[in-house]
Amino acid sequence: MSEILNTLIIGSGPAGYTAAIYACRAQLEPVLVCGSEVGGQLTTTPEIENWPSRFDAPDGFSLMQDMSKHAEKLGTKFIYDEVVKTDFSKNVKEVYLSSGTVLKAKTVIIATGAKARYLGLESETKYKGKGVSACATCDGFFFRGKEVAVVGGGSAAFIEALYLANLCSKVYLIHRRAEFRAEKVLVDRLRKLEIEGKVEFVLNANIKEILGDGNLVNGVRVESNGQNRDIALSGVFMAIGHEPSTKPFAGQIELYDDGTVKTGFTSETSTSVAGVFAAGDCSDRVYRQAITSAGQGCKAALDAEKYLQSKL
Ligand SMILES: Cc1cc2nc3c(=O)[nH]c(=O)nc-3n(C[C@H](O)[C@H](O)[C@H](O)COP(=O)(O)OP(=O)(O)OC[C@H]3O[C@@H](n4cnc5c(N)ncnc54)[C@H](O)[C@@H]3O)c2cc1C
C-alpha cells in the first residue's frame, strides 16, 4: 500500500472500531490494523451487562463482531497484522507492520489498549473468567452477596475493594506487604469497613494457588509468615497494575512512565505529535471501560477530521 492514507487506526477494540465508524462517516476512508487480538480485550468475556441497549447481555466476542461489521459496512478496510515500529518525525507518518509492509498516513489514531497484570500462576490462568477477574466494575455484579478477594496494595486495589464491599458479603484485601501505596483516605475508608466486619486485610501474604472445583473458583491458598491458609471465596480480583500496549510508539510520542500515552495537547485526544491521536485504555489510567474507550475513539476521529481540515 503506497498511497498516503487520511487516517490509519491501530487497534480493533471498542476505541478502534468506533474511531473507524466516525472516520468513515467523515469520508476519511480509514484503514484499521487489527493487531493479534482481533476485537480486543472484551472478546474473552462471556457476558457484557453494561453496554447500553444490550440488556440481553451478549458475550464479548459477538458484541465486538457486531462493532467490526458496523465499521466494515461503512467502508473501513481492515489489515490483519501487528504494528511493530512507527516513525512520526515527518508530516506523513510511517507505520511498520510485522509483515514488512510500511503504511503512510496523514493522521494516526492509536487505540492499542492495555493489558491487566496477573500473578502468573497456572491456576489463575485456568480460572480466568471463572472467578478470576481484573475488573471489579465489569465483573463485580456477578459476585453480589458472595465473598471475594482483591489482590494488591495500591489505590486501584483499594478502589476495587471499596466498590466490591458495596456488592459482596465480604472482601479480603490480600497484599504481599504490610504497608500500602494507596492514598491514605482510601485506606482509612477500607479500615472502617474492616471494623464493620465487611473487609478483612490479609497482609504479608502471597497467593500460592487459586482453588476451584475445575469449573469455578471456590477459594485461594495464601502463604503468610511461612504458614499456608485456605480462604473460601467465589471471586479473586487482580489489581496489581495495567500495562498499556504502546511499545511501538516509545520515543515517537510522549508516554507516562508506565507506558500510558499522554494526551490533551491541542485537543482532548491529541498526543505530543501533531496528527497523532490516542483513544481508549492505552491513554486512560482511570476509567478503562468499553463505553469510555468507544467514546474516546469517537473523539479521536473527530479530532483527526478537524486536524485534516485545518491543513486544507
Ligand atoms: C476480562 C475482562 C472483562 C471486561 N468486561 C468489561 C465489561 O463488562 N464492560 C466494560 O465496559 N468493560 C469491560 N472490560 C474492559 C474493556 O474490555 C476495555 O476497557 C476495552 O476493551 C478497552 O478498549 P480499547 O479499544 O481501548 O482496547 P482493547 O479492547 O484492549 O483493544 C486493543 C486492540 O489493539 C490491538 N493492538 C495492540 N497492540 C497492537 C499493535 N502493536 N498493532 C496493532 N494492533 C494492536 C489489539 O489487537 C486489540 O485489538 C473488560 C476487560 C477484561 C479484560
Side-chain angles (χ1 to χ4, degrees):
M1 205 179 272
S2 59
E3 64 180 305
I4 297 175
L5 306 167
N6 288 318
T7 301
L8 176 67
I9 298 163
I10 309 173
S12 56
Y17 285 144
T18 308
I21 289 165
Y22 276 77
C24 285
R25 286 174 49 79
Q27 298 189 318
L28 300 181
E29 299 174 332
V31 168
L32 187 151
V33 183
C34 294
S36 57
E37 196 181 14
V38 179
Q41 292 173 61
L42 273 191
T43 50
T44 57
T45 311
E47 245 181 328
I48 315 286
E49 286 200 346
N50 55 9
W51 186 261
S53 85
R54 294 302 304 269
F55 48 84
D56 56 331
D59 65 89
F61 186 77
S62 334
L63 185 70
M64 295 316 297
Q65 267 195 329
D66 286 350
M67 278 191 218
S68 166
K69 279 184 204 154
H70 192 164
E72 190 173 28
K73 183 167 182 276
L74 293 175
T76 308
K77 290 206 168 59
F78 295 121
I79 296 179
Y80 294 93
D81 204 338
E82 183 107 18
V83 171
V84 288
K85 199 175 92 173
T86 50
D87 181 352
F88 296 154
S89 61
K90 297 173 222 98
N91 261 347
V92 173
K93 280 79 186 154
E94 292 183 349
V95 172
Y96 297 74
L97 305 185
S98 67
S99 57
T101 303
V102 183
L103 301 171
K104 295 181 180 184
K106 293 178 202 163
T107 60
V108 173
I109 296 175
I110 300 170
T112 46
K115 287 195 184 340
R117 286 203 186 96
Y118 286 88
L119 298 169
L121 300 170
E122 222 172 88
S123 53
E124 177 189 50
T125 311
K126 180 174 171 186
Y127 288 109
K128 257 188 212 166
K130 297 171 181 171
V132 172
S133 169
C135 179
T137 320
C138 315
D139 297 331
F141 193 67
F142 302 117
F143 298 90
R144 56 197 184 279
K146 297 182 177 165
E147 300 203 358
V148 298
V150 173
V151 183
S155 291
F158 278 72
I159 290 167
E160 300 273 87
L162 286 164
Y163 177 81
L164 290 166
N166 260 331
L167 293 171
C168 303
S169 55
K170 181 162 180 179
V171 178
Y172 294 89
L173 187 108
I174 303 175
H175 183 40
R176 62 196 161 124
R177 300 202 180 91
E179 309 79 38
F180 308 111
R181 278 175 293 106
E183 287 171 68
K184 190 177 172 308
V185 59
L186 297 172
V187 178
D188 290 348
R189 262 185 232 157
L190 209 64
R191 284 288 187 200
K192 240 174 142 185
L193 293 175
E194 183 190 23
I195 295 164
E196 292 169 24
K198 288 276 294 176
V199 168
E200 182 178 331
F201 286 80
V202 183
L203 303 179
N204 288 318
N206 285 306
I207 295 195
K208 304 303 281 182
E209 197 180 341
I210 309 287
L211 307 171
D213 61 7
N215 190 32
L216 292 173
V217 166
N218 60 20
V220 280
R221 178 161 302 148
V222 294
E223 188 260 332
S224 177
N225 305 318
Q227 302 270 332
N228 276 344
R229 173 184 172 194
D230 288 355
I231 303 173
L233 43 72
S234 306
V236 186
F237 289 83
M238 300 301 164
I240 52 175
H242 275 79
E243 197 173 328
S245 308
T246 54
K247 287 208 177 88
F249 317 108
Q252 299 297 317
I253 52 171
E254 285 184 31
L255 304 174
Y256 289 101
D257 286 347
D258 66 356
T260 305
V261 180
K262 285 189 186 176
T263 52
F265 288 81
T266 54
S267 64
E268 203 175 308
T269 66
S270 63
T271 68
S272 57
V273 173
V276 179
F277 304 88
D281 283 11
C282 68
S283 57
D284 182 353
R285 293 199 281 189
V286 182
Y287 302 104
R288 291 200 204 99
Q289 292 294 291
I291 191 79
T292 52
S293 298
Q296 289 165 13
C298 154
K299 290 180 189 178
L302 296 175
D303 287 347
E305 182 193 9
K306 205 166 166 201
Y307 170 84
L308 287 167
Q309 272 172 358
S310 75
K311 298 284 159 198
L312 290 177

